[in-house]
Coordinates of all heavy atoms in Angstrom, one line a residue:
M1 N 10.5 1.7 -4.9 CA 9.2 1.4 -4.2 C 9.4 0.1 -3.3 O 10.0 -0.8 -3.7 CB 8.1 1.3 -5.2 CG 6.7 1.5 -4.5 SD 5.4 1.2 -5.6 CE 5.3 2.8 -6.5
D2 N 8.8 0.2 -2.2 CA 8.8 -1.0 -1.3 C 7.9 -2.1 -1.8 O 6.7 -1.9 -1.9 CB 8.4 -0.5 0.1 CG 8.6 -1.6 1.2 OD1 8.9 -2.7 0.8 OD2 8.6 -1.2 2.3
L3 N 8.5 -3.2 -2.1 CA 7.8 -4.3 -2.7 C 6.9 -5.0 -1.6 O 6.0 -5.7 -2.0 CB 8.7 -5.3 -3.3 CG 9.4 -4.9 -4.6 CD1 10.4 -5.9 -5.0 CD2 8.4 -4.6 -5.7
Q4 N 7.1 -4.7 -0.4 CA 6.2 -5.3 0.7 C 4.9 -4.6 0.7 O 3.9 -5.2 1.3 CB 6.9 -5.1 2.0 CG 8.2 -5.9 2.2 CD 7.9 -7.4 2.0 OE1 7.1 -8.0 2.7 NE2 8.7 -8.1 1.2
R5 N 4.7 -3.5 0.1 CA 3.4 -2.8 0.1 C 2.5 -3.3 -0.9 O 2.9 -4.0 -1.8 CB 3.7 -1.3 -0.1 CG 4.1 -0.6 1.2 CD 4.1 0.9 1.1 NE 4.9 1.4 2.2 CZ 5.8 2.3 2.0 NH1 6.0 2.9 0.9 NH2 6.5 2.7 3.1
G6 N 1.2 -3.0 -0.7 CA 0.2 -3.5 -1.6 C -0.2 -4.9 -1.1 O 0.3 -5.4 -0.1
I7 N -1.2 -5.4 -1.7 CA -1.7 -6.7 -1.3 C -1.0 -7.8 -2.0 O -1.1 -8.0 -3.2 CB -3.3 -6.8 -1.6 CG1 -4.0 -5.7 -0.9 CG2 -3.8 -8.2 -1.1 CD1 -5.4 -5.5 -1.3
P8 N -0.3 -8.6 -1.2 CA 0.4 -9.8 -1.8 C -0.7 -10.8 -2.2 O -1.6 -11.1 -1.5 CB 1.3 -10.3 -0.7 CG 0.7 -9.8 0.5 CD -0.1 -8.6 0.2
R9 N -0.5 -11.4 -3.4 CA -1.5 -12.4 -3.9 C -1.3 -13.8 -3.2 O -2.2 -14.5 -3.0 CB -1.3 -12.6 -5.4 CG -1.6 -11.3 -6.1 CD -2.0 -11.5 -7.5 NE -2.4 -10.1 -8.0 CZ -3.5 -9.9 -8.5 NH1 -4.4 -10.8 -8.7 NH2 -3.8 -8.7 -8.9
T10 N -0.1 -14.0 -2.7 CA 0.2 -15.2 -2.0 C 1.0 -15.0 -0.8 O 1.7 -14.0 -0.7 CB 1.0 -16.2 -2.9 OG1 2.2 -15.6 -3.3 CG2 0.2 -16.7 -4.1
C11 N 0.8 -15.8 0.2 CA 1.6 -15.8 1.5 C 2.9 -16.4 1.2 O 3.1 -17.0 0.2 CB 0.8 -16.6 2.5 SG 1.6 -16.7 4.1
D12 N 3.8 -16.2 2.1 CA 5.2 -16.8 2.0 C 5.1 -18.3 1.9 O 5.9 -19.0 1.4 CB 6.1 -16.4 3.2 CG 6.5 -15.0 3.1 OD1 6.4 -14.4 2.0 OD2 6.9 -14.4 4.2
C13 N 4.0 -18.9 2.5 CA 3.9 -20.4 2.5 C 3.3 -20.9 1.2 O 3.3 -22.1 1.0 CB 3.0 -20.8 3.7 SG 1.2 -20.4 3.4
G14 N 2.9 -19.9 0.3 CA 2.4 -20.3 -1.0 C 0.9 -20.3 -1.2 O 0.4 -20.4 -2.3
A15 N 0.2 -20.2 0.0 CA -1.3 -20.2 -0.1 C -1.7 -18.8 -0.6 O -1.1 -17.8 -0.3 CB -1.8 -20.5 1.3
A16 N -2.9 -18.7 -1.2 CA -3.4 -17.5 -1.7 C -3.9 -16.7 -0.5 O -4.4 -17.2 0.5 CB -4.6 -17.7 -2.6
T17 N -3.8 -15.3 -0.6 CA -4.3 -14.5 0.5 C -5.8 -14.2 0.3 O -6.3 -14.2 -0.8 CB -3.5 -13.2 0.6 OG1 -3.5 -12.6 -0.7 CG2 -2.1 -13.3 1.0
I18 N -6.5 -14.0 1.4 CA -7.9 -13.7 1.3 C -8.2 -12.4 2.1 O -7.6 -12.1 3.0 CB -8.8 -14.8 1.9 CG1 -8.3 -15.3 3.3 CG2 -8.8 -16.0 0.9 CD1 -9.2 -16.2 4.0
V19 N -9.2 -11.7 1.6 CA -9.7 -10.4 2.2 C -10.9 -10.7 3.1 O -11.8 -11.4 2.6 CB -10.0 -9.3 1.2 CG1 -10.5 -8.1 1.9 CG2 -8.8 -9.0 0.4
L20 N -10.9 -10.3 4.3 CA -12.0 -10.6 5.3 C -12.4 -9.3 6.0 O -11.6 -8.3 6.0 CB -11.6 -11.6 6.3 CG -11.2 -13.0 5.8 CD1 -10.6 -13.9 6.9 CD2 -12.5 -13.7 5.3
T21 N -13.5 -9.3 6.6 CA -14.0 -8.2 7.4 C -14.0 -8.6 8.9 O -14.5 -9.7 9.2 CB -15.4 -7.7 7.0 OG1 -15.4 -7.4 5.6 CG2 -15.8 -6.5 7.8
S22 N -13.3 -7.8 9.7 CA -13.2 -8.1 11.1 C -14.6 -8.0 11.8 O -15.4 -7.1 11.5 CB -12.2 -7.1 11.8 OG -12.3 -7.3 13.2
G23 N -14.8 -8.9 12.7 CA -16.1 -8.9 13.4 C -15.9 -8.7 14.9 O -16.8 -8.9 15.7
T24 N -14.6 -8.3 15.3 CA -14.3 -8.2 16.7 C -14.9 -6.8 17.2 O -15.1 -5.9 16.4 CB -12.8 -8.2 17.0 OG1 -12.2 -7.2 16.3 CG2 -12.2 -9.6 16.6
I25 N -15.1 -6.7 18.5 CA -15.6 -5.5 19.1 C -14.6 -4.4 19.0 O -14.9 -3.2 18.7 CB -15.9 -5.7 20.6 CG1 -17.0 -6.7 20.8 CG2 -16.3 -4.4 21.4 CD1 -17.2 -7.3 22.2
K26 N -13.3 -4.7 19.0 CA -12.2 -3.7 18.9 C -12.1 -3.1 17.5 O -11.8 -1.9 17.3 CB -10.9 -4.4 19.3 CG -9.9 -3.4 19.8 CD -8.6 -4.1 20.3 CE -7.5 -3.1 20.4 NZ -6.2 -3.8 20.6
N27 N -12.4 -4.0 16.5 CA -12.2 -3.5 15.1 C -13.4 -3.9 14.3 O -13.3 -4.7 13.3 CB -10.9 -4.1 14.5 CG -9.7 -3.6 15.1 OD1 -9.4 -2.4 15.0 ND2 -9.0 -4.5 15.8
P28 N -14.6 -3.4 14.6 CA -15.8 -3.9 13.8 C -15.8 -3.4 12.4 O -15.6 -2.2 12.2 CB -17.0 -3.3 14.6 CG -16.4 -2.1 15.4 CD -15.0 -2.5 15.6
G29 N -16.0 -4.3 11.5 CA -16.2 -3.9 10.1 C -14.9 -3.5 9.4 O -14.8 -3.1 8.3
R30 N -13.7 -3.7 10.1 CA -12.5 -3.3 9.6 C -12.0 -4.4 8.7 O -12.0 -5.6 9.0 CB -11.5 -3.1 10.7 CG -10.3 -2.2 10.3 CD -9.4 -2.0 11.6 NE -8.2 -1.2 11.2 CZ -7.2 -1.1 11.9 NH1 -7.1 -1.7 13.1 NH2 -6.1 -0.4 11.5
R31 N -11.5 -4.0 7.5 CA -11.1 -5.0 6.5 C -9.7 -5.4 6.6 O -8.8 -4.5 6.9 CB -11.4 -4.5 5.1 CG -12.8 -4.0 4.9 CD -13.7 -4.8 4.1 NE -13.3 -4.9 2.7 CZ -13.7 -5.8 1.8 NH1 -14.4 -6.8 2.2 NH2 -13.4 -5.7 0.5
F32 N -9.4 -6.6 6.4 CA -8.0 -7.0 6.5 C -7.8 -8.2 5.5 O -8.7 -8.8 5.1 CB -7.6 -7.5 7.9 CG -8.4 -8.7 8.5 CD1 -7.8 -9.9 8.4 CD2 -9.6 -8.5 9.0 CE1 -8.5 -11.1 8.9 CE2 -10.3 -9.6 9.5 CZ -9.8 -10.9 9.4
Y33 N -6.5 -8.5 5.3 CA -6.3 -9.7 4.5 C -5.2 -10.5 5.2 O -4.4 -10.1 5.9 CB -5.9 -9.3 3.0 CG -4.7 -8.5 2.9 CD1 -3.4 -9.0 2.7 CD2 -4.8 -7.1 2.8 CE1 -2.3 -8.2 2.5 CE2 -3.7 -6.3 2.7 CZ -2.4 -6.9 2.5 OH -1.3 -6.1 2.3
R34 N -5.3 -11.8 4.9 CA -4.5 -12.8 5.6 C -4.3 -14.0 4.7 O -4.9 -14.2 3.7 CB -5.1 -13.2 6.9 CG -6.5 -13.6 6.8 CD -6.9 -14.5 8.0 NE -6.4 -15.8 7.8 CZ -6.9 -16.9 8.4 NH1 -7.9 -16.8 9.2 NH2 -6.4 -18.1 8.2
C35 N -3.3 -14.8 5.1 CA -3.0 -16.1 4.5 C -4.3 -16.9 4.5 O -5.0 -17.0 5.5 CB -1.9 -16.8 5.3 SG -1.6 -18.4 4.7
G36 N -4.7 -17.5 3.4 CA -5.9 -18.2 3.3 C -5.8 -19.6 3.9 O -6.9 -20.3 4.2
A37 N -4.6 -20.1 4.2 CA -4.5 -21.4 4.7 C -4.2 -21.5 6.2 O -4.8 -22.3 7.0 CB -3.4 -22.1 4.0
N38 N -3.3 -20.6 6.7 CA -2.9 -20.6 8.1 C -2.8 -19.2 8.7 O -2.7 -18.3 8.0 CB -1.5 -21.3 8.2 CG -1.5 -22.7 7.7 OD1 -2.0 -23.6 8.4 ND2 -0.9 -22.9 6.6
S39 N -2.9 -19.2 10.0 CA -2.6 -17.9 10.7 C -1.4 -18.2 11.6 O -1.2 -19.2 12.2 CB -3.8 -17.4 11.5 OG -4.2 -18.4 12.4
G40 N -0.6 -17.1 11.8 CA 0.5 -17.3 12.7 C 1.6 -16.3 12.3 O 1.4 -15.5 11.3
Q41 N 2.7 -16.3 13.0 CA 3.8 -15.3 12.8 C 4.3 -15.3 11.4 O 4.7 -14.3 10.8 CB 4.9 -15.6 13.8 CG 4.7 -14.8 15.1 CD 6.1 -14.7 15.8 OE1 6.9 -15.6 15.7 NE2 6.3 -13.7 16.6
N42 N 4.4 -16.4 10.8 CA 5.1 -16.5 9.4 C 4.1 -16.4 8.3 O 4.5 -16.6 7.2 CB 5.8 -17.9 9.3 CG 6.9 -18.0 10.4 OD1 7.6 -17.0 10.7 ND2 7.0 -19.1 11.0
H43 N 2.9 -16.0 8.6 CA 1.9 -15.9 7.5 C 1.3 -14.5 7.4 O 1.4 -13.7 8.4 CB 0.7 -16.9 7.8 CG 1.2 -18.3 7.8 ND1 1.3 -19.0 6.6 CD2 1.6 -19.1 8.8 CE1 1.8 -20.2 6.9 NE2 1.9 -20.3 8.2
V44 N 0.9 -14.1 6.2 CA 0.5 -12.8 5.9 C -0.7 -12.4 6.8 O -1.7 -13.1 6.9 CB 0.1 -12.6 4.5 CG1 -0.6 -11.3 4.2 CG2 1.3 -12.8 3.6
F45 N -0.6 -11.2 7.4 CA -1.8 -10.6 8.1 C -1.6 -9.1 8.0 O -0.6 -8.6 8.5 CB -2.0 -11.0 9.5 CG -3.2 -10.3 10.2 CD1 -4.4 -10.9 10.1 CD2 -3.0 -9.0 10.7 CE1 -5.5 -10.2 10.7 CE2 -4.1 -8.4 11.3 CZ -5.3 -9.0 11.3
K46 N -2.5 -8.4 7.4 CA -2.4 -6.9 7.3 C -3.8 -6.2 7.3 O -4.7 -6.7 6.7 CB -1.7 -6.5 6.0 CG -0.2 -6.2 6.2 CD 0.4 -5.7 4.9 CE 1.7 -5.0 5.1 NZ 2.3 -4.6 3.8
W47 N -3.9 -5.1 8.0 CA -5.1 -4.3 7.9 C -5.1 -3.5 6.6 O -4.0 -2.9 6.3 CB -5.1 -3.3 9.1 CG -5.3 -4.0 10.4 CD1 -4.4 -4.1 11.4 CD2 -6.5 -4.6 10.9 NE1 -4.9 -4.8 12.5 CE2 -6.2 -5.1 12.2 CE3 -7.8 -4.8 10.4 CZ2 -7.1 -5.8 13.0 CZ3 -8.7 -5.5 11.2 CH2 -8.4 -6.0 12.4
L48 N -6.2 -3.5 5.9 CA -6.3 -2.9 4.6 C -6.1 -1.4 4.7 O -5.4 -0.7 3.9 CB -7.6 -3.2 4.0 CG -7.6 -3.6 2.5 CD1 -6.8 -4.9 2.3 CD2 -9.0 -3.8 2.0
D49 N -6.7 -0.7 5.7 CA -6.6 0.7 5.8 C -5.2 1.2 6.1 O -4.8 2.2 5.6 CB -7.7 1.3 6.9 CG -7.6 0.6 8.2 OD1 -6.7 -0.3 8.4 OD2 -8.4 0.8 9.0
E50 N -4.5 0.4 6.9 CA -3.1 0.8 7.2 C -2.3 0.8 5.9 O -1.4 1.6 5.7 CB -2.5 -0.1 8.2 CG -2.8 0.2 9.6 CD -2.3 -0.8 10.7 OE1 -1.5 -1.7 10.3 OE2 -2.6 -0.6 11.8
D51 N -2.5 -0.2 5.1 CA -1.8 -0.4 3.9 C -2.2 0.7 2.9 O -1.3 1.3 2.2 CB -2.1 -1.7 3.3 CG -0.9 -2.4 2.7 OD1 0.2 -2.2 3.3 OD2 -1.0 -3.1 1.7
L52 N -3.5 1.1 2.9 CA -3.9 2.1 2.0 C -3.3 3.5 2.4 O -2.9 4.3 1.5 CB -5.4 2.2 2.0 CG -6.1 1.1 1.2 CD1 -7.7 1.2 1.4 CD2 -5.8 1.1 -0.3
A53 N -3.2 3.7 3.7 CA -2.6 5.0 4.1 C -1.1 5.1 3.7 O -0.7 6.1 3.3 CB -2.7 5.1 5.7
A54 N -0.4 3.9 3.7 CA 1.0 3.9 3.3 C 1.1 4.2 1.8 O 1.9 4.9 1.3 CB 1.6 2.6 3.6
I55 N 0.2 3.6 1.0 CA 0.2 3.8 -0.4 C -0.2 5.2 -0.8 O 0.4 5.8 -1.7 CB -0.8 2.8 -1.1 CG1 -0.3 1.4 -1.0 CG2 -1.1 3.2 -2.6 CD1 -1.3 0.3 -1.3
K56 N -1.1 5.8 0.0 CA -1.5 7.2 -0.3 C -0.4 8.2 0.0 O -0.1 9.1 -0.8 CB -2.7 7.5 0.6 CG -3.5 8.7 0.1 CD -4.7 9.0 1.0 CE -5.3 10.4 0.6 NZ -4.4 11.5 0.9
A57 N 0.4 7.9 1.1 CA 1.5 8.7 1.4 C 2.6 8.7 0.3 O 3.2 9.7 -0.1 CB 2.2 8.3 2.7
E58 N 2.7 7.5 -0.3 CA 3.7 7.3 -1.4 C 3.2 8.0 -2.6 O 4.0 8.6 -3.3 CB 3.8 5.8 -1.6 CG 5.1 5.4 -2.3 CD 5.5 4.0 -2.1 OE1 5.6 3.6 -0.9 OE2 5.6 3.3 -3.1
L59 N 1.9 8.0 -2.9 CA 1.4 8.7 -4.1 C 1.6 10.2 -3.9 O 1.9 10.9 -4.9 CB -0.1 8.4 -4.2 CG -0.4 7.1 -5.0 CD1 -1.9 6.9 -4.9 CD2 0.1 7.2 -6.4
D60 N 1.4 10.7 -2.7 CA 1.6 12.1 -2.5 C 3.0 12.5 -2.8 O 3.3 13.6 -3.3 CB 1.2 12.5 -1.0 CG -0.3 12.5 -0.8 OD1 -1.0 12.6 -1.8 OD2 -0.8 12.5 0.3
D61 N 4.0 11.7 -2.3 CA 5.4 11.9 -2.6 C 5.6 12.0 -4.1 O 6.4 12.8 -4.6 CB 6.2 10.8 -2.0 CG 6.5 11.1 -0.5 OD1 6.2 12.2 -0.1 OD2 7.1 10.3 0.2
M62 N 5.0 11.0 -4.8 CA 5.2 10.9 -6.3 C 4.7 12.2 -7.0 O 5.2 12.7 -7.9 CB 4.5 9.7 -6.8 CG 5.3 8.4 -6.7 SD 4.4 7.1 -7.5 CE 5.1 5.7 -6.7
K63 N 3.5 12.7 -6.5 CA 2.9 13.9 -7.1 C 3.9 15.0 -6.9 O 4.0 15.8 -7.9 CB 1.6 14.2 -6.4 CG 0.4 13.4 -6.9 CD -0.9 13.9 -6.3 CE -2.0 12.9 -6.4 NZ -3.0 13.2 -5.4
K64 N 4.5 15.1 -5.8 CA 5.5 16.2 -5.6 C 6.6 16.1 -6.5 O 7.1 17.1 -7.1 CB 6.0 16.2 -4.1 CG 5.0 16.8 -3.1 CD 5.6 16.8 -1.7 CE 4.5 16.8 -0.7 NZ 4.8 16.1 0.5
D65 N 7.1 14.8 -6.7 CA 8.2 14.6 -7.7 C 7.8 15.0 -9.1 O 8.6 15.6 -9.8 CB 8.6 13.1 -7.7 CG 9.3 12.7 -6.4 OD1 9.7 13.6 -5.7 OD2 9.6 11.5 -6.2
I66 N 6.6 14.6 -9.5 CA 6.1 15.0 -10.8 C 6.0 16.5 -11.0 O 6.4 17.0 -12.1 CB 4.7 14.3 -11.1 CG1 5.0 12.8 -11.2 CG2 4.1 14.8 -12.4 CD1 3.7 11.9 -11.1
T67 N 5.5 17.2 -10.0 CA 5.4 18.6 -10.1 C 6.8 19.2 -10.3 O 7.0 20.1 -11.1 CB 4.8 19.2 -8.8 OG1 3.6 18.5 -8.6 CG2 4.6 20.7 -8.9
E68 N 7.8 18.7 -9.6 CA 9.2 19.2 -9.7 C 9.7 18.9 -11.2 O 10.3 19.8 -11.8 CB 10.1 18.5 -8.7 CG 9.9 19.0 -7.3 CD 10.2 20.5 -7.2 OE1 11.3 20.9 -7.6 OE2 9.4 21.2 -6.6
I69 N 9.4 17.7 -11.6 CA 9.9 17.3 -13.0 C 9.3 18.3 -14.0 O 9.9 18.7 -15.0 CB 9.6 15.9 -13.3 CG1 10.5 15.0 -12.4 CG2 9.8 15.5 -14.8 CD1 10.0 13.5 -12.3
I70 N 8.0 18.6 -13.9 CA 7.3 19.4 -14.8 C 7.9 20.8 -14.8 O 8.2 21.4 -15.9 CB 5.8 19.5 -14.5 CG1 5.1 18.2 -14.9 CG2 5.1 20.7 -15.3 CD1 3.7 18.0 -14.4
K71 N 8.3 21.3 -13.6 CA 8.9 22.6 -13.5 C 10.3 22.6 -14.3 O 10.6 23.6 -15.0 CB 9.2 22.9 -12.0 CG 8.0 23.6 -11.4 CD 8.4 24.0 -10.0 CE 7.2 24.1 -9.1 NZ 7.5 24.1 -7.6
I72 N 11.0 21.6 -14.1 CA 12.3 21.5 -14.8 C 12.1 21.4 -16.3 O 12.8 22.1 -17.0 CB 13.1 20.2 -14.3 CG1 13.5 20.4 -12.8 CG2 14.3 19.9 -15.2 CD1 13.9 19.1 -12.1
I73 N 11.2 20.7 -16.8 CA 10.9 20.6 -18.2 C 10.5 22.0 -18.7 O 11.0 22.4 -19.8 CB 9.8 19.5 -18.5 CG1 10.3 18.1 -18.2 CG2 9.3 19.6 -19.9 CD1 9.3 17.0 -18.2
E74 N 9.7 22.7 -18.0 CA 9.2 24.0 -18.4 C 10.4 25.0 -18.5 O 10.5 25.8 -19.5 CB 8.2 24.5 -17.5 CG 6.8 24.0 -17.9 CD 5.7 24.4 -16.9 OE1 6.0 25.0 -15.8 OE2 4.6 24.0 -17.1
C75 N 11.3 24.9 -17.6 CA 12.6 25.7 -17.6 C 13.4 25.4 -18.8 O 13.9 26.3 -19.5 CB 13.4 25.4 -16.3 SG 12.8 26.4 -14.9
L76 N 13.6 24.1 -19.1 CA 14.4 23.7 -20.3 C 13.7 24.2 -21.6 O 14.4 24.6 -22.5 CB 14.5 22.2 -20.3 CG 15.4 21.6 -19.2 CD1 15.3 20.0 -19.2 CD2 16.8 22.0 -19.4
R77 N 12.4 24.1 -21.6 CA 11.7 24.6 -22.8 C 11.9 26.1 -23.1 O 12.1 26.5 -24.2 CB 10.2 24.3 -22.7 CG 9.8 23.0 -23.2 CD 8.3 22.9 -23.4 NE 7.9 21.6 -23.6 CZ 6.7 21.1 -23.1 NH1 5.9 21.8 -22.4 NH2 6.4 19.8 -23.3
M78 N 11.9 26.9 -22.0 CA 12.1 28.3 -22.1 C 13.4 28.6 -22.6 O 13.6 29.6 -23.3 CB 11.9 28.9 -20.7 CG 10.5 28.7 -20.2 SD 9.7 30.2 -19.7 CE 9.0 29.8 -18.2
K79 N 14.4 27.8 -22.2 CA 15.8 28.1 -22.7 C 16.0 27.8 -24.1 O 16.9 28.5 -24.8 CB 16.8 27.3 -21.8 CG 17.0 27.9 -20.5 CD 18.0 27.0 -19.6 CE 18.0 27.5 -18.2 NZ 18.7 26.6 -17.3
S80 N 15.3 26.8 -24.7 CA 15.6 26.4 -26.1 C 14.8 27.3 -27.0 O 13.9 28.0 -26.7 CB 15.2 25.0 -26.3 OG 13.9 24.7 -26.0
Ligands
LIG1 ZN1 0.6 -18.7 4.8

């Protein structure tokens, strides 16, 4: 699993990350999280919905894997 996914508790600079709601016209009410101390290229900034979409896609993949594993287990059971 990609360790970059999910909400990091701290930024690379060591400051805690904070969750905020965007108030811009372009992204009204959109939630994001960022470095609590600084903003800039080397600090955490991520849209929450983009991250959730990535996590959901990963979960869907896992579900498919689990379904496959269950099928294999059932096959093995039938043989024994
Ligand atoms: Zn930072």
Side-chain angles (χ1 to χ4, degrees):
M1 198 187 278
D2 190 346
L3 290 174
Q4 294 298 308
R5 281 191 196 133
I7 302 170
R9 298 201 175 235
T10 55
C11 177
D12 288 341
C13 73
T17 51
I18 50 169
V19 178
L20 296 168
T21 304
S22 169
T24 62
I25 295 164
K26 207 177 164 191
N27 295 294
R30 202 174 175 197
R31 309 252 290 163
F32 64 97
Y33 58 92
R34 51 159 283 203
C35 173
N38 297 288
S39 59
Q41 268 199 331
N42 300 318
H43 297 276
V44 170
F45 177 92
K46 258 185 167 182
W47 293 108
L48 226 65
D49 49 6
E50 277 177 6
D51 223 33
L52 287 173
I55 290 166
K56 200 178 171 296
E58 202 157 302
L59 276 175
D60 284 345
D61 277 353
M62 277 186 201
K63 274 186 203 160
K64 279 179 205 152
D65 285 351
I66 289 166
T67 307
E68 286 300 307
I69 290 164
I70 288 169
K71 273 185 205 162
I72 291 164
I73 290 169
E74 277 172 358
C75 277
L76 289 171
R77 268 197 195 143
M78 296 232 226
K79 280 178 189 169
S80 63

